[in-house]
Amino acid sequence: MPAPPPATRTVAPPPPPSLSASDQIAQAVFNALNSSRSRAGLPALRWSSALQRSAHQHNLAMAAANQLSHQLPGEPSLGARESQQGVSWTFAAENIGWTSDMSTNGALDVEATMLGEQPPNDGHRQNILSSQANSLGIDVVLDRTHGKLWLTEDFARI
């Protein structure tokens, strides 16, 4: 009688790295933003870690100054910030916001407010639904000093 085949051992893949609370919130906003794009008949944006790093640097600057601004004194422009992270872009845009609700729901409320803007004051909505962008990085900073959740969305065509 032939020997039985060796037992096959199944090895489970390692668990995914656990995400920080900020990263979990950013992922929820990313999913919501792409759902909005899908409902509008637009393709989903790809996640870009380089754009997320650009957004993170800007969030840190806003939190340090406790000021909402697309460019703070001494800070590079949006395009320069994206380029510094290695992004070779042909289109760049940014949405920023903050809320005192430092939770996923708070960030999703900021996103919903941006999407709900009406012309002519609808620049955030236009960025979310832009056919020019193909990539996105989202960052959330939970600023306990000022009691704010800072949200930055950096868009680009890469």
Side-chain angles (χ1 to χ4, degrees):
M1 179 179 246
T8 303
R9 193 173 118 207
T10 304
V11 177
S18 60
L19 296 176
S20 70
S22 294
D23 288 342
Q24 289 176 24
I25 295 169
Q27 188 64 53
V29 172
F30 179 75
N31 293 340
L33 189 147
N34 271 329
S35 290
S36 298
R37 289 179 59 83
S38 177
R39 286 190 301 278
L42 295 165
L45 298 176
R46 293 186 308 259
W47 180 263
S48 167
S49 295
L51 291 172
Q52 184 275 330
R53 289 190 305 272
S54 170
H56 182 66
Q57 291 302 315
H58 188 58
N59 269 344
L60 293 177
M62 289 191 299
N66 193 26
Q67 181 181 349
L68 185 71
S69 176
H70 285 286
Q71 186 175 8
L72 293 158
E75 183 184 36
S77 67
L78 167 63
R81 290 193 312 264
E82 290 186 0
S83 294
Q84 286 173 350
Q85 296 304 320
V87 177
S88 179
W89 54 271
T90 59
F91 167 84
E94 180 177 71
N95 287 350
I96 58 173
W98 70 269
T99 179
S100 60
D101 181 349
M102 295 182 11
S103 70
T104 299
N105 286 338
L108 291 174
D109 286 347
V110 172
E111 179 66 20
T113 299
M114 290 178 182
L115 185 63
E117 292 174 344
Q118 296 295 312
N121 298 314
D122 64 337
H124 296 110
R125 184 186 66 80
Q126 289 181 30
N127 289 341
I128 293 166
L129 300 178
S130 173
S131 61
Q132 295 297 309
N134 64 9
S135 300
L136 172 64
I138 298 175
D139 185 69
V140 169
V141 166
L142 301 174
D143 176 3
R144 306 232 184 265
T145 301
H146 301 108
K148 292 179 179 175
L149 177 153
W150 298 93
L151 172 67
T152 297
E153 303 169 345
D154 280 358
F155 300 83
R157 173 170 289 284
I158 300 174

